[in-house]
Amino acid sequence: MTLFKVLSYGKGFKGQAIWASICSVVNKLFDIAPEILIGIAIDVVINQEDSFVAALGITDPKQQLYLLGVMTFLIWAGESIFQYLYLRNWRELAQKIQHRFRVDCYGHIQKMDMRFFEDQSTGRLTAILNDDVNQLERFLNIGANDILQVVTSVVAVGAVFFLISTKLALLAFTPIPVIIFGAFYFQRKAEPRYAEVREKAGQIAAAINTNIAGVATIKSFTKEDHEQQRIADISQQYVAANESAIRISSAFTPVIRMAILTGFLATFIIGGLDTLNGELAVGAYGVLVFLTQRLLWPFRDLANTMDLYERGMASARRILGLLDEPIRIKDHHQAADTVLSGSINLRDITFTYESQSKPALQDINLTIKAGETVAFVGQTGSGKSTIIKLLMRYYHAQNGQINLDGRSIEDISITTLRSQIGLVSQSTFLFNASIYDNIRYGNDNASETQVREAAQLAEADDFIARLDQGYQTLVGEQGVKLSGGQIQRIALARALLKNPPILILDEATSAVDNETEAAIQKSLKKIAAGRTIILIAHRLSTVVHADQIHVLDHGQIVESGTHSKLLQLQGRYQQLWHIQTGQV
């Protein structure tokens, strides 16, 4: 059951949960007590020296009332104190559990392989981490306490009822099975509707996130009105889903009210007749009438509690579903930390993306020596970037073996592997922070001097120095305040600061001008010293100095050699070279 899974998730806070529950129970007992005191007060006024309190040794009616006044004050004070305690503890507990859910979900997402992200929208994941976790927190904050206090009311009031009159107790309790049955009935009806509400919320978040990220494209095509209408349509679907759920939850309250009325009238009329017939004391009758409300009226709010419950459980199922997603790429028990020198061997590698029918790579065999500069070239979709994804262990090859320094890539811990590979990809991501912080992201322990040296190697120091705030310039979300070339140079500096034995440049100079590219090429000679460089490029001028160039076509290596050797072969590489140099 989803609720039990949620509660078991808070086992680390068991002590606080028990204390919060005790405070709720005590608060509810104090809350019920004034109704009992009212009945006793009526008994004192009517029977005076023969009252219930007189049997305790206090015969003066005035003294009896003073005693009841003191008890009333103490009960109200106790109720207030324990209300403060249960509110504070339940809210703190809800915050702690939602914090754990959010952090664990985010941690789990970070461990997922890239295949998982291909099938997920950013908006859906964001909605789970924010909206769903917050919705669950609202239930834990309010609903859990409400359920506990309803149970306490039923038990405590029921005990008083049966102590005073078994007949009236049975009549007063008659509506409760109807109420409980109705609660479960409406809960089953509402469950799929609230699941749809959460899905629609995720769709809204996905659409808004996408549109904000692509606002430049929307403006360039003057699609503002179109996109506003699209968001309005999705939002209307969310409204419709909520209305469907609300229709069910709203119908619950009138049904409960009629069931409550039945129990109240039974106590009110039959208890009154028994009192007139002398079978029930006036004070006891007053206690039962007042307690009937305390017994049944809390069920009136059960509709709101069930609404919170269903919304919370719909969110919990999405959260737990995310946490149950299997991590396909992870370290096995023999994976170890190792220092890499940079030699790479791919043997009989074949890999097919799940969304495709044809292999992205087929029968790839190659060896890269430590310290070599190797390039992969070919048309879009030829498999160049897929090799990098396999080296980074974003995916696992279905067939074949990848070895680094003679060791299977699967025997090297993922953290160790990726910490020793510097990757500058075509789709570079910068954080909404300063240039300095974005570069230093590659090495948290780097000094300011090392950051500047990395920027100089990446040919970024000059343009940074021309900015008003220099290295403290904020780049905006995804580097929106910088040009494409500036973003790539900062990304290159970040990778160089990492000082990895293997450096991968995946179209890293595609967005820079020719002058900057030439400067970066010159820097590569310094960068390449003592490390393996892997270049992926469409622009062949980037790779002419590579020790080895591999030409890929439809997932296979069709040619290999140096720039001059490949031109002499008069094959695929020569065709690409002639196209780019205008010799066709």
Side-chain angles (χ1 to χ4, degrees):
M1 187 178 178
T2 304
L3 178 59
F4 292 143
K5 290 182 180 179
V6 171
L7 295 176
S8 67
Y9 206 79
K11 282 183 178 178
F13 314 116
K14 185 177 180 180
Q16 186 169 12
I18 292 173
W19 174 236
S21 299
I22 291 172
C23 291
S24 292
V25 170
V26 174
N27 168 263
K28 180 50 64 176
L29 293 177
F30 277 128
D31 183 49
I32 293 169
E35 273 68 21
I36 298 175
L37 291 181
I38 291 173
I40 295 174
I42 293 172
D43 182 61
V44 167
V45 172
I46 294 175
N47 296 317
Q48 301 186 21
E49 289 84 357
D50 297 324
S51 70
F52 170 77
V53 178
L56 300 177
I58 303 175
T59 56
D60 183 2
K62 293 182 179 180
Q63 295 295 324
Q64 294 176 24
L65 289 175
Y66 291 148
L67 175 63
L68 291 177
V70 171
M71 291 181 64
T72 300
F73 174 81
L74 293 175
I75 287 171
W76 276 71
E79 181 186 0
S80 299
I81 290 170
F82 280 94
Q83 183 178 29
Y84 164 77
L85 291 174
Y86 87 67
L87 283 173
R88 175 179 172 179
N89 281 278
W90 276 117
R91 288 173 180 176
E92 287 181 357
L93 187 62
Q95 291 295 322
K96 290 176 181 178
I97 292 178
Q98 77 147 347
H99 168 73
R100 175 176 288 184
F101 266 120
R102 180 176 285 116
V103 172
D104 285 0
C105 277
Y106 179 75
H108 188 76
I109 287 172
Q110 289 198 120
K111 295 176 183 177
M112 300 301 294
D113 58 279
M114 297 303 291
R115 184 183 289 107
F116 168 80
F117 293 99
E118 291 175 355
D119 299 327
Q120 300 289 331
S121 70
T122 303
R124 179 179 182 273
L125 297 177
T126 302
I128 291 175
L129 290 174
N130 283 330
D131 296 343
D132 285 325
V133 171
N134 290 338
Q135 187 65 56
L136 179 59
E137 181 263 338
R138 280 190 285 274
F139 165 70
L140 293 172
N141 186 24
I142 301 172
N145 173 72
D146 288 348
I147 292 173
L148 185 61
Q149 291 208 331
V150 167
V151 173
T152 302
S153 292
V154 171
V155 173
V157 174
V160 175
F161 257 87
F162 278 99
L163 186 64
I164 295 176
S165 172
T166 302
K167 178 177 70 174
L168 291 178
L170 293 174
L171 290 172
F173 272 72
T174 298
I176 293 179
V178 177
I179 294 171
I180 294 174
F181 173 80
F184 281 106
Y185 172 80
F186 283 105
Q187 182 259 332
R188 286 195 301 270
K189 288 286 187 181
E191 182 177 332
R193 289 170 170 80
Y194 280 119
E196 184 179 1
V197 168
R198 301 317 310 154
E199 284 299 322
K200 295 301 181 185
Q203 290 176 18
I204 291 176
I208 292 174
N209 283 355
T210 300
N211 282 15
I212 291 175
V215 66
T217 301
I218 293 171
K219 286 180 177 296
S220 69
F221 285 92
T222 63
K223 289 289 187 179
E224 292 92 340
D225 292 341
H226 170 80
E227 290 302 326
Q228 182 173 348
Q229 184 58 50
R230 190 170 72 89
I231 295 296
D233 291 342
I234 299 173
S235 181
Q236 184 58 47
Q237 292 173 16
Y238 172 73
V239 170
N242 250 316
E243 287 177 346
S244 178
I246 290 169
R247 279 194 294 270
I248 294 295
S249 61
S250 298
F252 182 51
T253 300
V255 173
I256 297 302
R257 289 179 68 90
M258 294 310 297
I260 291 171
L261 178 63
T262 302
F264 178 75
L265 287 177
T267 305
F268 183 75
I269 295 174
I270 297 176
L273 293 174
D274 286 348
T275 303
L276 292 174
N277 294 329
E279 298 175 13
L280 188 67
V282 175
Y285 174 60
V287 168
L288 294 182
V289 169
F290 285 116
L291 282 183
T292 301
Q293 295 186 46
R294 284 295 183 188
L295 172 67
L296 297 177
W297 281 115
F299 285 104
R300 180 189 56 180
D301 298 325
L302 195 58
N304 294 329
T305 303
M306 291 302 297
D307 186 73
L308 276 174
Y309 173 81
E310 273 310 318
R311 289 179 183 272
M313 292 306 101
S315 293
R317 282 186 284 273
R318 281 162 53 92
I319 296 168
L320 294 170
L322 179 58
L323 287 169
D324 288 339
E325 285 283 348
I327 300 173
R328 301 187 186 183
I329 298 179
K330 56 186 176 181
D331 292 331
H332 60 69
H333 65 282
Q334 294 180 338
D337 297 336
T338 185
V339 178
L340 300 177
S341 64
S343 67
I344 302 168
N345 177 261
L346 279 69
R347 187 170 66 248
D348 300 326
I349 292 294
T350 296
F351 174 78
T352 305
Y353 291 102
E354 285 189 356
S355 59
Q356 299 177 2
S357 57
K358 294 182 179 180
L361 294 174
Q362 189 168 4
D363 298 325
I364 298 295
N365 288 277
L366 65 89
T367 297
I368 302 173
K369 296 178 182 178
E372 273 192 328
T373 297
V374 175
F376 295 100
V377 300
Q379 291 181 322
T380 301
S382 60
K384 305 183 299 297
S385 294
T386 301
I387 292 177
I388 305 307
K389 292 174 182 177
L390 295 179
L391 285 176
M392 294 294 293
R393 284 194 73 187
Y394 293 159
Y395 297 91
H396 272 322
Q398 286 90 1
N399 295 296
Q401 180 70 45
I402 300 176
N403 293 323
L404 277 71
D405 294 352
R407 217 174 155 167
S408 171
I409 196 171
E410 296 181 17
D411 292 335
I412 303 170
S413 74
I414 294 174
T415 300
T416 297
L417 171 72
R418 293 174 184 167
S419 68
Q420 297 182 79
I421 299 177
L423 173 63
V424 184
S425 62
Q426 186 175 8
S427 54
T428 296
F429 182 89
L430 295 185
F431 297 94
N432 187 15
S434 68
I435 290 176
Y436 181 87
D437 289 337
N438 269 284
I439 296 176
R440 199 167 180 265
Y441 195 78
N443 182 358
D444 292 335
N445 298 317
S447 65
E448 183 176 349
T449 300
Q450 289 172 316
V451 170
R452 290 182 179 274
E453 288 175 351
Q456 288 168 358
L457 278 175
E459 295 296 325
D461 185 65
D462 287 345
F463 91 78
I464 295 173
R466 290 194 297 270
L467 298 173
D468 290 341
Q469 295 180 308
Y471 281 83
Q472 297 307 315
T473 301
L474 296 177
V475 303
E477 287 193 27
Q478 302 183 39
V480 68
K481 295 181 180 180
L482 303 176
S483 69
Q486 290 172 333
I487 290 172
Q488 286 193 316
R489 278 178 277 174
I490 291 173
L492 178 58
R494 180 170 61 189
L496 292 174
L497 189 64
K498 194 176 179 181
N499 194 27
I502 300 173
L503 179 63
I504 300 172
L505 306 179
D506 185 358
E507 297 287 355
T509 59
S510 61
V512 301
D513 55 56
N514 292 332
E515 183 178 351
T516 303
E517 182 193 8
I520 292 176
Q521 289 292 335
K522 184 178 179 181
S523 296
L524 275 177
K525 294 180 180 179
K526 299 177 184 177
I527 295 169
R531 61 166 56 94
T532 301
I533 305 290
I534 298 177
L535 304 171
I536 295 178
H538 284 104
R539 194 187 295 179
L540 299 185
S541 58
T542 307
V543 304
V544 293
H545 300 298
D547 298 317
Q548 195 76 202
I549 301 171
H550 300 286
V551 183
L552 281 88
D553 190 31
H554 293 93
Q556 295 181 308
I557 296 177
V558 294
E559 293 175 0
S560 296
T562 62
H563 172 70
S564 58
K565 179 182 176 181
L566 290 173
L567 288 178
Q568 292 172 7
L569 290 176
Q570 299 182 1
R572 182 63 181 150
Y573 183 83
Q574 186 192 60
Q575 293 175 7
L576 294 172
W577 179 259
H578 285 169
I579 290 171
Q580 292 193 17
T581 56
Q583 299 179 37
V584 178

